[in-house]
Amino acid sequence: METLRYRFPGTQVLGSAELHALVGVVASGNLEVLVEPAPLDGAMEIEVITSARGFGDVWQAVLADFAARHPLRDIRLSLNDAGATPAVVSLRLQQALETLAERGSDA
């Protein structure tokens, strides 16, 4: 197992400070994403726990792209990976944001 940590500056507030989302599953070729609010001085932190060692550069590229499109502030994302491809990672991250948006509109 490898643990990777990334921090990106954020500008967008994402809904209520009470909202969180959990999407996906830890299974072969998939991943689980937990999104939760956290006091991070305006940053977004992402922690990746992965069974596929040696892909830090790929994770950096995928997550930097996500952070550029969604510069969220005071948000922590925890990713539990079981060998997901970059496309699956991007889809799960988008799914987590859509889940939060749905919950925010219900409030």
Side-chain angles (χ1 to χ4, degrees):
M1 298 298 283
E2 183 172 19
T3 300
L4 307 167
R5 291 182 178 84
Y6 303 93
R7 186 177 177 99
F8 301 96
T11 57
Q12 297 176 351
V13 176
L14 186 62
S16 165
E18 303 297 316
L19 292 179
H20 67 281
L22 177 64
V23 298
V25 295
V26 182
S28 181
N30 210 333
L31 81 154
E32 173 185 73
V33 176
L34 171 64
V35 182
E36 57 192 338
L40 299 170
D41 294 324
M44 173 173 46
E45 287 186 354
I46 304 174
E47 179 182 78
V48 179
I49 299 173
T50 180
S51 60
R53 301 180 65 82
F55 289 91
D57 291 344
V58 175
W59 280 106
Q60 174 69 38
V62 171
L63 297 176
D65 178 66
F66 174 78
R69 288 183 290 116
H70 305 285
L72 305 174
R73 59 181 292 123
D74 296 321
I75 292 291
R76 177 174 291 121
L77 291 95
S78 301
L79 284 64
N80 295 307
D81 173 55
T85 65
V88 171
V89 173
S90 294
L91 288 171
R92 284 286 180 235
L93 290 169
Q94 188 63 41
Q95 180 185 20
L97 294 185
E98 289 172 6
T99 299
L100 285 172
E102 289 170 8
R103 290 183 181 163
S105 66
D106 292 341

